[in-house]
Each structure stands twice: as C-alpha cells, then as structure tokens.
Amino acid sequence: MHCAQYIRPGAELSNTEFPDDELRHEQEFIDALYARVDSLRGATEASVVDALGQGNTPMQARLERDVLVAERSGLLAALNAVDGSLCFGRIDLTTGVSHHIGRIGIRADDAELTPILIDWRAPVARPFYLATGHTPMDLRRRRHITTDGRRVTALHDELLDLGERERTGHEDPAGDAVLLAALNSARTGRMSDIVQTIQAEQDRIIRAPHRGVMVVEGGPGTGKTAVALHRAAFLLYEHRELLAKRAVLIVGPNPAFLGYIGEVLPSLGETGVLLATVGELFPGVRATATDTPEAAAVKGRADMADVLAAVVRDRQALPDPVIAIEHDRDILMLDEGLVRVARERAREAKLPHNAAREHFEGHVLNTLTDMLAERIGTDPFDGSNLLDPGDITQIRDELAENPEVWSAIDQLWPRLTPQRLVADFLAAPEGYVADEDAAAIRRPVTRAWTVADVPLLDEAAELLGEDDRLARAAAERERNAQVAYAQGVLDVSYASRTYEFEDKDEEDSEILSAHDIIDAERFAERHEEDDHRSAAERAAADRTWAFGHIIVDEAQELSPMAWRLLMRRSPTRSMTLVGDPAQTSEAGGVGSWSDILAPYVEDRWEHTRLAVNYRTPSEIMDLAAAVLRAGNPDFEPPSSVRSTGVRPWVRATDDLPGAVAEAVAELTPAEGRLAVIAPRDLHRALAARLDGVSAGAEPDLTRTVVLLDPRQAKGLEFDSVLVVEPGRYGTSDLYVALTRATQALGVLHTGDVPEALKTA
C-alpha cells in the first residue's frame, strides 16, 4: 500500500528540500506514519481522560473503565517511548510488495488490519535480519532508514537479488554501513537498542522458542545483554497473554547496570518488565552493604541451605529440664519427654516452621488437658475418669486462655521471621559452620543487609513459611465490618423508601429498591478496592511470585544460593541466561553452566555462543586476550569486527592522581563517555583531582567522566577507558576492565603490571 494514501494535507515537501526522489519518498512515508501516530496519541489521551472522568459508576462500568484505561495508557506509553526513530527499515519483496519495519506495529485504521508499519518482531519482518545474497528469502532489496526525530537523514540499500537492475543511488556495497555507524557512534551512558542492526546469529537467539533454559555465552562486546533484552521484547510480543499476566524478570549485577539498560525495553514499546538485582528480590529488604569476598563465598555456598535448616530445627526447643505452668492453683509440668513427642508430631506434618506451629500448639494443649483432666477427674476409689467430653473441652478452652501456656509455646516453638532468623545466625554462626567460616560471616545484628544475605533470607522464608491465622482472622473481622456497614446503608435505604411510599397507593409501593435486589455481602464486594498495579509491580511485592520468563545477565557471577532463589521464581524453568565464564570475578560465583543447572534441569538446557565482538576494536581485544592467555594458553577471544588503528597505551607514573588527571584530559572524547576504572580505595583521591567526578556513590553513567571499580564496570561500555593500577586486579576483573572501550584505552600504574601489559 503506497504511503501517499496516508499523507496528511500540507505534508508534501519541496524538491528543493529533498531533491533525491528516494529520500523524498521515505520522508513522505515518515510524515504519513507520524500523522497516524499523532491521531492515535490524541485518541488515546482523550480516551484515558474521558474514562478517568466518569466518577462514581456502577460496578460493570467501573470494570470496563479499568480495562480501557489499561489498554489505552499502555498504548500511549508505547507511542511516547518509541517516538524517535519509529521506522528504521524497509524490505522489497520479489513479488513487488514492500513493508516498512519499525519498533512497534501501526495499523492504517482502528477498524482495519492493514499495517502501515510492521513490528520488528513479526514473522514477516524476519527477512530484514536474516536475508543474504546467498539466501535472499524472496527479498529484492533491504533498506536501512536513518532518521533524526521525524526527519529522514540517510538511506542505505542492500541488493539481495543479484539480477536486480534498478539502482537508487543509496546502495551500500559492503552492507554494513549502518552497523559500523552504530558501533562508532558516541556513547550516552545509556544502552541503546540494536533493533536496526540485529545480526543473524543474534536474531536466532532472540526468536528461539519459549521453553526451557537457554544459555547464551559470549565474550566482551558480543551483544549478550542486548540480545537478552530484545529476546524479552520478542517473548512479550509472541506470548503477550501469558507473560502479561506472569511478567518477565530481568536480573542484573548491580543498580548502575540496571540504570544503564533501563531505556532499552521502553524504546521497543515494552514497559511491563521487572528489572532487579539479586539484592532487590526479597520484598521489604534492599541490600546496600557489601561483604568481604570471603564472607560472600561462604554465604553463597549450596550447603548454607542445610545450615539454615539446622538453625530452624534448633529453634524448636526442648525444656531444660522442665517448664512449670500455673493454672487454677495447679502446677503443670512440661518436661523434655512430653515436649519431644509434641515436637516430633509437629515435624511429621512436613510443613514449614511457622505453619507447623499450629500442630505443635494442638499437641501441647492436648497434653496439658490430659494431664489436668487426670488430676482433677480421677475417681479415688476405682481410678475411673469422672469427666465427660464437655468437661474436657472446657478444660482445654480454659488452658488456651492461660498466658503462661502461650509463653511456654513461644519459648519452645517461637514464631520466626526470616530477618530475625538470619540476623541471629550471622551474629553467632559458631557451631553451624567451620570456625574460619564463622569468623568470615559473623556480624552485628544491626548491620545493613548485603546482596549475599538476600538468598539466605529467601531460604529462611521457605523454611519458615507463614502462620497466617492472625492475618486471616484480621481479614475476617475487616470483612464482617464492611458487610455490617453495607447492611446499615441498605437498612437506611429501605427505611427511607418505606417512609416515602407509606402514603402512596399499593402499586407505587411495589417499586424495587436496592434492598430488594442486592444483599449486604454483594454490596460490600462492590466497594472493595481493586488492585490496579501492573503484573511487574505485584511481582516485586510478592516473594512467591512465579514469573513467566526470567533473564539473568552476568549469570556466571551468581552463587548457588542465589540460583536457589531464582529457581523458586521460575517453577517452569523458562529462562535465558547470558554470561561469560572467563569474566567470573565474584568469589561465590559458580562459573560453570553445568554446575549451575544440573541440580535443577540436569542436562536439559540449550547452549549457544556468540563469537563476534562488536564493541571492542581488535587492537584493544588483542591486549585483553593476552592477559587471559597468560594463565590459559588455549583461550580464544571473540573476533572483533572492526579496527580503529589506535593502539592502547600503558604508562608508569610516580604521581598517580596527577597522571590520571592528565590522562583524563587526553582521553576524554569530544562526544561520548570516559570511564576511569580503579581500585575502590583510590576513588576518593582520584575524584579530588577530577572536576565533576564523585566517589562513594552509585555512578551517574550519563556524565562525561565516571569513576568505577572493575565490578561496577561489568556489562557497561564507554568510548574511552582509563585503567588504573592493573596489577591490583584479579585476572577476570582486569579482563573486564580492559574490554569496556569502543575507541581508546589507556593504562596507568605505579607498581608492577601483568607480563602481557609490559609489551603494549
């Protein structure tokens, strides 16, 4: 369908402004496209305002309004998020049909299915990414459209039909001009989507079937993160109904990384995804403190699950030697034997600790009841019990009101929270772990939570469960109060109606009132608060939420305990894991994919590797690879697609802060971003010599110069990078630091450096 059909009045451009017919044609299409977008945006905003302005309405109208608001506001968010560069390509088929490809799909009219713009995730758009001269997939031509806002600035055509004679003057013989332009563009401190430049190997991963666990391995710069994010967008498009309800979770290594990738999915029209670090996956807790490497390694070990189980069992205590309970001038003794029987019977229920407490309470109360009934009801002559069942029940009820009974139960089988259990364990871990491990993890009860603590909290929550009897009782009281209030409203309505019609004839008085057509319970239901939170928002507040799909970036860094947490969030085991074992730096990291997955899916997982480095120039990649080859001669880095001709440099200095300041002035690009990567203990001194650079806080990646340590830099990229004191890094951390740059790399040191850097 020709774009002229959609051109709004006055949209025509003069030949003076666009003398090139092809540019003019595409500009006309872009104008027509945005005319439709503007009409959709206007209709959407009006619909939302109109819906919200309905005020008090009957229940059915309220439900219809809520659905309308959700649909319309979702569309509005998508249109606003992808406003720039909405259309980026066109495919011309051998049949003479052409399709424009964009970030979201736009139809010609609400009543028609005719697309003006094809969503990049639709099957018909796939040849845009996969077609080659050898396998053209029925394409004559593939066109890349570059725009600045709503203005077309460049076209790049690739001829896929070798017999095609028509030329547009925009042919790109190499077919990679758009990709290289994207790779060489200045960084902004925020990751951009790669929807315009997805390569064939990446497309196959993005569109892989939605089932099981897929592992995407790749070295620095291979686009692992971008592929994972675009896979999330594709799955949300392909399985909208399922994933909109269950949500997609994306787990990143640190808050700075999540901020860095935070704009990618909105730019693709997807806003219903939860992004979080492991430290943010226990509702009500936000981990801010840091562990020593030794403590993180101990807390992350798989056997910590058994350790915490032992801690819980030890809180199910026995009296030492007895507990005396006074009741109506009688003293009842709970000794070890009696309590042991009650404890074992409660454990036999195979319930979490807090849920099993109800069984323990019942056994203790029954034991005390039998004890007291035998004492006061036994016939002294024949030894028979003179109490009937009603008397026994009365005794049990009276015992259940005795505070001393509940004090004893609380002492023997206390209600526990995950926070209290883990805090108490970490304050006194002796006896549960080896002495050196206890010394590593011991800390005061009042200390802030660390990322490595969160999987322990989650494990504790699984072991403890919830005793929801109090919550259910409170909810029942609230419900009864609402019903009583509703009944009062109906009674007032009925009384008012009776008074109104008492002087009228019988026919008029038979008019139905609210009291006649609805009871108090249904009336109360209509005024209950609706939950308007998105699935992602509800998931963030619910520890037991089961996600439709989970994507984990830098997956090799997670500890066995962190994997236990994530697997609970994914009972269907629908996951995409991306990472690089060569970049494992966390002391508790698993590193091996088999070690990570075998406990959960055995060998039922798919592995694929990205082998092309799009970020790091070959000059820098050669230096970084030499660092790893020093310890692993067989290491093969990903192959860089480009060379800048700029070799990295390594310099020694006696004045580190001064040399860093000079190097920053040398390396800072005219446009783009520079990262100074240095050990954390040097940050304050270095920041004092760098204008506008701060130390100690989460880095603002949108600033021209940022100061990071190697682990904060994981997953990020910058135009230029300055690595400080490389001799103080582990091999993996140094490899990460050296591979963050897209253009230039410098290294400064005061002491010794790895052998591979001495020849640079």
Side-chain angles (χ1 to χ4, degrees):
M1 192 170 291
H2 195 274
C3 66
Q5 289 181 253
Y6 310 114
I7 296 178
R8 58 186 172 180
E12 292 81 9
L13 297 166
S14 69
N15 285 325
T16 303
E17 189 173 359
F18 277 98
D20 186 295
D21 288 342
E22 292 294 328
L23 278 171
R24 174 184 170 83
H25 175 87
E26 296 298 355
Q27 185 63 55
E28 289 175 345
F29 173 80
I30 295 296
D31 280 350
L33 175 63
Y34 279 108
R36 176 65 180 140
V37 168
D38 290 340
S39 70
L40 283 171
R41 184 179 287 111
T44 298
E45 290 173 340
S47 299
V48 172
V49 171
D50 180 64
L52 291 174
Q54 292 183 37
N56 294 325
T57 62
M59 179 60 70
Q60 186 60 39
R62 283 180 59 203
L63 292 175
E64 292 174 353
R65 179 199 68 189
D66 295 341
V67 171
L68 175 65
V69 170
E71 290 179 348
R72 291 297 191 178
S73 61
L75 175 59
L76 182 59
L79 290 173
N80 288 336
V82 301
D83 192 35
S85 302
L86 185 59
C87 173
F88 56 78
R90 191 183 86 188
I91 51 177
D92 299 338
L93 280 66
T94 55
T95 60
V97 176
S98 296
H99 297 298
H100 280 86
I101 313 298
R103 285 173 167 75
I104 61 174
I106 301 291
R107 294 182 310 195
D109 186 87
D110 286 338
E112 298 181 14
L113 296 177
T114 306
I116 304 177
L117 190 65
I118 301 292
D119 192 300
W120 67 276
R121 297 165 287 190
V124 71
R126 197 169 192 193
F128 183 80
Y129 300 107
L130 296 184
T132 65
H134 184 265
T135 310
M137 301 178 70
D138 297 325
L139 295 193
R140 292 188 304 112
R141 184 188 313 274
R142 172 169 48 215
R143 167 167 289 178
H144 294 270
I145 302 172
T146 304
T147 58
D148 181 5
R150 299 189 177 195
R151 182 180 177 86
V152 178
T153 58
L155 304 176
H156 294 87
D157 288 343
E158 297 175 64
L159 292 179
L160 299 170
D161 182 353
L162 300 182
E164 174 65 44
R165 296 178 179 274
E166 180 184 350
R167 295 294 184 270
T168 65
H170 297 281
E171 281 72 25
D172 175 12
D176 56 6
V178 174
L179 173 62
L180 291 177
L183 297 178
N184 288 316
S185 63
R187 270 43 193 170
T188 64
R190 293 289 181 263
M191 178 181 277
S192 300
D193 66 70
I194 60 168
V195 66
Q196 189 171 359
T197 58
I198 293 172
Q199 303 300 293
E201 66 169 355
Q202 298 171 329
D203 184 83
R204 283 188 284 272
I205 297 169
I206 290 169
R207 298 176 192 263
H210 173 231
R211 60 173 181 267
V213 177
M214 169 177 281
V215 174
V216 182
E217 183 179 331
T222 54
K224 302 182 298 296
T225 298
V227 166
L229 294 172
H230 287 68
R231 175 160 171 75
F234 173 77
L235 293 176
L236 285 163
Y237 173 86
E238 191 77 359
H239 307 280
R240 178 74 62 191
E241 184 175 352
L242 170 64
L243 296 184
K245 292 178 181 178
R246 302 310 310 164
V248 172
L249 170 65
I250 297 179
V251 180
N254 55 60
F257 175 84
L258 295 181
Y260 176 65
I261 68 172
E263 296 177 2
V264 174
L265 285 167
S267 76
L268 300 174
E270 299 296 346
T271 56
V273 176
L274 177 62
L275 278 70
T277 65
V278 170
E280 297 168 329
L281 289 178
F282 191 88
V285 169
R286 187 178 181 86
T288 57
T290 56
D291 272 312
T292 64
E294 295 77 15
V298 173
K299 293 178 182 180
R301 291 194 314 231
D303 62 5
M304 288 303 295
D306 295 329
V307 169
L308 290 176
V311 174
V312 172
R313 290 177 68 86
D314 284 350
R315 299 299 292 271
Q316 299 164 359
L318 297 173
D320 183 23
V322 297
I323 296 178
I325 298 174
E326 183 177 353
H327 183 77
D328 284 348
R329 296 187 301 277
D330 279 309
I331 301 297
L332 305 176
M333 296 293 189
L334 275 177
D335 61 25
E336 179 181 340
L338 294 173
V339 174
R340 186 183 300 277
V341 172
R343 185 176 71 173
E344 292 308 312
R345 289 182 179 175
R347 287 176 175 176
E348 287 171 1
K350 303 297 183 183
L351 294 172
H353 171 88
N354 288 331
R357 175 182 158 115
E358 184 175 2
H359 293 268
F360 182 78
E361 293 171 0
H363 289 303
V364 169
L365 282 170
N366 290 340
T367 298
L368 293 174
T369 300
D370 293 342
M371 190 184 302
L372 188 57
E374 182 179 359
R375 183 176 302 178
I376 67 177
T378 301
D379 189 318
F381 298 103
D382 60 12
S384 63
N385 197 302
L386 303 176
L387 302 179
D388 60 28
D391 297 328
I392 302 295
T393 299
Q394 182 177 351
I395 292 173
R396 193 181 193 280
D397 291 343
E398 290 173 354
L399 283 167
E401 295 178 356
N402 186 336
E404 290 194 23
V405 172
W406 293 108
S407 176
I409 290 174
D410 288 339
Q411 178 182 339
L412 299 169
W413 197 291
R415 288 189 178 93
L416 299 172
T417 66
Q419 290 90 330
R420 173 53 59 187
L421 184 80
V422 174
D424 288 349
F425 161 65
L426 294 176
E430 292 79 9
Y432 294 104
V433 296
D435 290 345
E436 61 271 20
D437 294 339
I441 65 175
R442 188 188 306 111
R443 65 118 189 262
V445 170
T446 56
R447 187 179 170 188
W449 298 110
T450 69
V451 173
D453 291 334
V454 169
L456 301 185
L457 291 169
D458 197 72
E459 188 72 30
E462 285 292 303
L463 293 167
L464 296 176
E466 292 186 21
D467 183 352
D468 63 350
R469 286 175 293 165
L470 296 177
R472 284 190 281 113
E476 183 64 23
R477 288 194 299 271
E478 176 66 20
R479 170 69 176 165
N480 292 337
Q482 291 176 347
V483 171
Y485 178 79
Q487 185 64 58
V489 172
L490 291 174
D491 290 344
V492 170
S493 171
Y494 179 74
S496 175
R497 172 184 173 277
T498 302
Y499 175 79
E500 180 182 353
F501 287 106
E502 64 182 1
D503 295 328
K504 296 190 177 183
D505 58 36
E506 184 176 344
E507 182 178 348
D508 288 340
S509 65
E510 290 180 358
I511 297 174
L512 294 177
S513 69
H515 196 282
D516 299 310
I517 61 177
I518 192 170
D519 60 24
E521 289 195 7
R522 291 179 61 197
F523 190 53
E525 288 174 1
R526 290 195 171 194
H527 289 81
E528 290 178 355
E529 288 294 324
D530 297 322
D531 190 346
H532 295 296
R533 295 176 299 170
S534 68
E537 290 170 331
R538 285 183 282 121
D542 184 354
R543 190 195 68 82
T544 63
W545 189 273
F547 288 91
H549 193 78
I550 295 180
I551 292 174
V552 186
D553 205 315
E554 302 293 348
Q556 77 282 349
E557 301 288 7
L558 270 59
S559 70
M561 288 299 293
W563 282 112
R564 287 177 64 88
L565 179 156
L566 287 179
M567 290 299 175
R568 292 189 192 105
R569 307 297 196 273
S570 181
T572 61
R573 304 293 189 258
S574 178
M575 310 178 84
T576 302
L577 314 180
V578 297
D580 179 14
Q583 297 183 61
T584 304
S585 56
E586 294 294 339
V590 178
S592 163
W593 303 121
S594 295
D595 290 345
I596 290 171
L597 295 172
Y600 306 102
V601 296
E602 297 179 344
D603 60 352
R604 300 185 303 275
W605 49 279
E606 183 179 351
H607 178 273
T608 185
R609 181 173 179 82
L610 295 168
V612 179
N613 185 336
Y614 299 98
R615 174 207 303 145
T616 317
S618 57
E619 293 86 354
I620 296 176
M621 197 65 221
D622 290 344
L623 180 65
V627 170
L628 281 190
R629 285 200 184 102
N632 180 10
D634 296 329
F635 172 73
E636 284 298 327
S639 177
S640 297
V641 301
R642 63 195 178 98
S643 169
T644 61
V646 179
R647 293 188 58 79
W649 51 259
V650 180
R651 299 172 187 165
T653 180
D654 294 328
D655 176 16
L656 189 63
V660 167
E662 293 177 3
V664 165
E666 174 186 343
L667 289 170
T668 300
E671 296 181 5
R673 302 294 180 269
L674 164 68
V676 179
I677 302 178
R680 180 63 67 93
D681 62 302
L682 298 179
H683 282 197
R684 192 170 300 278
L686 298 181
R689 299 292 297 270
L690 302 174
D691 292 338
V693 176
S694 59
E698 285 295 335
D700 179 359
L701 300 178
T702 64
R703 300 186 70 87
T704 302
V705 180
V706 294
L707 183 59
L708 308 165
D709 64 35
R711 300 191 182 183
Q712 286 178 310
K714 291 186 75 68
L716 308 181
E717 62 180 36
F718 305 88
D719 299 87
S720 303
V721 170
L722 177 64
V723 176
V724 179
E725 296 290 29
R728 294 181 54 186
Y729 303 165
T731 300
S732 294
D733 282 343
L734 180 56
Y735 181 58
V736 169
L738 294 173
T739 54
R740 300 303 97 192
T742 66
Q743 302 295 336
L745 171 68
V747 179
L748 283 174
H749 64 95
T750 59
D752 199 13
V753 296
E755 196 66 32
L757 298 184
K758 293 179 180 179
T759 59

